[in-house]
Amino acid sequence: MDLVSGYKGVVGLVFGNEKSGSSNEDSYIERLLDCISNGKLAEDRRTAMLELQSVVAESSAAQLAFGAMGFPVMMGILKEERDDVEMVRGALETLVSALTPIDHAKGPKNEIQPAIMNTDLLSREADSISLLLSLLSEEDFYVRYYTLQLLTALLTNSRNRLQEAILTIPRGITRLMDMLMDREVIRNEALLLLTYLTREAEEIQKIVVFEGAFEKIFSIIKEEGGSDGGVVVQDCIELLNNLIRNTASNQILLRETMGFDPLMSILKLRGSTYSFTQQKTINLLSALETLNLLIMGGSEADPGKDANKLTNRTTLAQKKVLDHLLMLGVESQWAPVAVRCSALRCIGNLIAGHPKNLDALASKFLGEGPQEPALNSILRIILRTSSIQEFVAADYVFKSFCENNADGQTMLASTLIPQPHSMIHAPVEEDVNMSFGSMLLQGLNFSEKDGDLETCCRAASVLSHVMKDNLQCKERVLRIELEAPTPSLGAPEPLMHRVVKYLAVASSMQNKDGKSSGNSYVQPVILKLLVTWLADCPSAVNCFLDSRPHITYLLELVSNSIATVYIKGLAAVLLGECVIYNKSVESGKDAFAIVDSISQKVGLTSYFLKFEEMQKSFLFTSSTSAQPHKQLTRSASASMVDVDESNLSDQKNEDHPVLSSIFDAPFLNVVKSLEVNIREKFVEVYSQPKSKVAVVPAELEQKSGESDGEYIKRLKAFVEKQCSEIQDLLGRNASLAEDVATIGGGRSRSEQGAGSDRVQVETLRRDFQEASKRLELLKAEKAKLESEASMYKNLAGKMESDLKSLSDAYNSLEQANFHLEKEVRAKNGGGGSSSIPDVDAIRAEAREEAQKESEAELNDLLVCLGQEQSKVDKLSTRLLELGEDVDKLLEDIGDDVGLPGDGEDDED
């Protein structure tokens, strides 16, 4: 066949570079296969089969040679010689050996793996899987056993191909399920095979469930002794987890058929002295994973997930699962750390968003003698445990308890009552009688003498959960004051100021020690507490700003080259909160003063760069694509059980479990939304002028008794002052625009870059708008003066025109009178003086009347001209003060006036 011929080419390539011994071995395999195929005596064929199986199991070269030419021979025996049980057994055992990798400690890493190549070749055979499944019906025990081993080997290296093949074979999975009721060895092999087969194969999972897998699984677990059983119990629970992992319908079927009682029996500890072997630990971890899968309710894409999750949690609570989890995670301190951590995480998942389970945990009391609330016991684990993993798991319980649970937060905050200083360092045994709040404040009350900054950090983490999104709790905690270590040093100080002091102490200890593993996450935890506290709480911001060194310290922390990106980023967020939630009007504490300090001490480019660096860090980018929880398989079980705390101190900051717990998805979303608000608030602060340069509109009005010259001088001084202030403002905004534009250009997200550009344009637009409003008022005043000047000019022109018309009329009258006189003289010369009237008398009378009329009109005109001339003189003076050239303005008017005057003189 083609695959085999191609495979021979690979064999030839490998053996072509080998010594003659390898070629001899190849020939030896070929002779054995020839004897098996063509041997006359049955005994010779069986001997050859045994020899072939032995050499293939021991030599990689033999495996490679067998893969090139042996499969057709073996498959022929399985098809045609079913009656010869010995040969069928030998063929199956040889195939298993050919598919089992041989470890070569000294071999090169890139060496060809014959077992994997053989698996691929056999799985490609169309009839091979069907033939092997048919062998499961054989009566011989070893035939069924080796067949199951062979199928398991195929699944290990070619799972997807085998899953697809089995689905096409009628009753293929049914035959495998029947093996679970076979003898113990067969059952165990079938169980292992099914765990491989059901991984990420929804169709196969449904068929297996339909074939009664749940009943068979719990029956085997019970037979094996529950959690005290061996690896078979682990395989059973792993198969169970495969069946319910992402399928809500299978979980519903389990709940409605078997119920959750069999699972509870696995989690229940037996006996007064509990011993935890490694296998028992693995079994409990597997059962806790089952519980966690039921609490989650199914895959995210399943539409019935939420309803199923709610029903599962309610049903589990009715089965007293919380008691079992508290026993494993809190009360059984002799249990392995891995079990305690897994149980605590299950408690957190069980109560998250479930009011009844939240109330159940809040009302639980633990202990046989003096009982105490379960939450107090979990808090003690946080404050006292030496395991970082256990601290993270216990902290998750409080995170889940306080999330969207205002009543629970208020209940916890109501117990926050400071203890007298004499009780702060009381023996650990006495904290059983303490309230939750007193124990938490005791953990927060760091003593440099003890050097227990780790405890303070853990208490701060719990306090941040208590105050998250709860203004009432923030205000209540704000009123807490702690006594000074030495009462004579002064009055008690607010808890917030003490927390900031711890932040500075952690910074100094880290700088002193260099890379201090113990403090690698202390500062981020305390910073998260402060960020949570100040969020949407102006009174907390005001308390924080009451101490001026706080802002100075944060500015230094943002610029600290030794600090991690998370410390600098959170410090930048904290500074931003002091701006966006700042309601103070006091000089030096208002939002403008904080922004000004950031601009001068850090620089806006450097400041906003801290947000960029933090958002590009590992924790921010990995949170957007959260990896699914690692399945607890046989290969992963050992690493899950052995929690090596010593390695945690050597991990990078990005990988530290505490940092991963701090930077969870909800907190990262808060930080991202705060960044947007901070940028907008900075723009708003810069777009509004300071109060001391605010424009008073009354300054633009002319005061009573103020001359025009003084008024104009005052306006000029005001404009100069405004221009100076505008230049200063423009300089600031130019710097801001340059800084934010630089940041916007470096942003990886284009929409945020575009938004940043729009914000800067809007800022500059607002700044120029403020300046233009002031200048427009002066321009309007100047335009008004120019309009009046133009009106007076037009009026003067009209009056000159009227005067010219009157002069023309007078001249025409004089000419008419001259003609009349001429006519009269002519008639007088012709004779008859007695009948002719006295022309001279008439002319003198007419002249007298015309002169009177003309003089009256001229007097009126001169009065008007005198009034207008006074106005023109006043206007000219005002225009001169404004810098206008009056002579040039009146040049045309003077020419027009001169013409009629000259004509009049000539006429006279």
Side-chain angles (χ1 to χ4, degrees), residues 132 224 582 625 638 666 733 757 762:
L132 292 174
E224 293 293 321
N582 192 324
S625 57
N733 287 321
D757 293 339
E762 181 67 17

Side-chain angles (χ1 to χ4, degrees), residues 15 62 75 90-91 116 120 199 251 303 309 345 353 364 383 601 631 634 677 748 819 825 867 899:
F15 285 123
M75 300 308 290
I116 297 177
D120 183 71
R199 289 178 187 170
Q251 294 185 10
K309 175 169 64 175
R345 281 191 292 268
K364 281 289 180 185
L383 300 178
K601 300 291 180 63
Q631 301 179 14
R634 273 196 180 189
N677 295 336
S748 60
H819 288 301
R825 290 191 190 100
Q867 292 175 351
L899 290 173

Side-chain angles (χ1 to χ4, degrees), residues 497-522:
H497 291 194
R498 185 73 64 87
V499 170
V500 178
K501 185 184 297 183
Y502 297 158
L503 183 64
V505 171
S507 179
S508 63
M509 292 175 65
Q510 191 167 8
N511 292 338
K512 195 180 300 181
D513 299 338
K515 289 185 177 180
S516 178
S517 61
N519 295 327
S520 61
Y521 56 86
V522 170

Side-chain angles (χ1 to χ4, degrees), residues 508-542:
S508 63
M509 292 175 65
Q510 191 167 8
N511 292 338
K512 195 180 300 181
D513 299 338
K515 289 185 177 180
S516 178
S517 61
N519 295 327
S520 61
Y521 56 86
V522 170
Q523 285 180 283
V525 171
I526 297 178
L527 283 169
K528 180 187 177 182
L529 169 63
L530 292 172
V531 168
T532 304
W533 202 342
L534 267 59
D536 204 20
C537 186
S539 56
V541 172
N542 191 54

Side-chain angles (χ1 to χ4, degrees), residues 462-692:
V462 177
L463 185 60
S464 67
H465 302 320
V466 174
M467 292 192 295
K468 182 184 177 185
D469 298 330
N470 193 317
L471 186 59
Q472 182 181 354
C473 289
K474 292 178 183 180
E475 299 281 359
R476 187 183 188 95
V477 178
L478 204 59
R479 294 191 293 269
I480 295 176
E481 293 184 342
L482 300 177
E483 288 188 12
T486 304
S488 60
L489 292 179
E493 63 177 333
L495 177 61
M496 176 177 285
H497 291 194
R498 185 73 64 87
V499 170
V500 178
K501 185 184 297 183
Y502 297 158
L503 183 64
V505 171
S507 179
S508 63
M509 292 175 65
Q510 191 167 8
N511 292 338
K512 195 180 300 181
D513 299 338
K515 289 185 177 180
S516 178
S517 61
N519 295 327
S520 61
Y521 56 86
V522 170
Q523 285 180 283
V525 171
I526 297 178
L527 283 169
K528 180 187 177 182
L529 169 63
L530 292 172
V531 168
T532 304
W533 202 342
L534 267 59
D536 204 20
C537 186
S539 56
V541 172
N542 191 54
C543 178
F544 183 83
L545 296 176
D546 280 342
S547 178
R548 292 186 180 274
H550 288 175
I551 291 296
T552 305
Y553 172 68
L554 284 183
L555 292 171
E556 293 175 355
L557 199 58
V558 170
S559 306
N560 190 348
S561 59
I562 303 177
T564 64
V565 293
Y566 307 114
I567 294 174
K568 290 185 284 191
L570 291 178
V573 173
L574 199 56
L575 280 171
E577 287 182 320
C578 292
V579 175
I580 61 178
Y581 301 119
N582 192 324
K583 304 298 182 184
S584 175
V585 294
E586 183 180 343
S587 178
K589 290 175 59 176
D590 60 349
F592 193 96
I594 305 300
V595 173
D596 209 35
S597 299
I598 295 172
S599 178
Q600 293 179 8
K601 300 291 180 63
V602 180
L604 294 177
T605 302
S606 178
Y607 173 74
F608 284 115
L609 192 61
K610 302 303 181 279
F611 291 94
E612 297 286 333
E613 292 172 351
M614 184 168 62
Q615 299 228 20
K616 291 177 181 177
S617 62
F618 170 78
L619 291 175
F620 270 77
T621 54
S622 62
S623 67
T624 57
S625 57
Q627 298 295 324
H629 182 69
K630 187 177 180 180
Q631 301 179 14
L632 186 61
T633 60
R634 273 196 180 189
S635 57
S637 58
S639 61
M640 292 288 288
V641 172
D642 300 326
V643 179
D644 190 358
E645 295 289 336
S646 62
N647 290 336
L648 295 178
S649 60
D650 298 329
Q651 286 179 316
K652 295 181 180 179
N653 289 330
E654 293 84 354
D655 301 328
H656 204 288
V658 177
L659 285 179
S660 301
S661 174
I662 294 170
F663 290 89
D664 57 353
F667 182 68
L668 296 187
N669 292 333
V670 169
V671 170
K672 291 174 183 177
S673 63
L674 280 173
E675 180 193 357
V676 175
N677 295 336
I678 289 168
R679 290 180 182 274
E680 292 177 353
K681 185 65 177 181
F682 271 51
V683 170
E684 181 182 342
V685 169
Y686 266 99
S687 65
Q688 295 178 353
K690 294 181 182 179
S691 57
K692 67 179 182 181

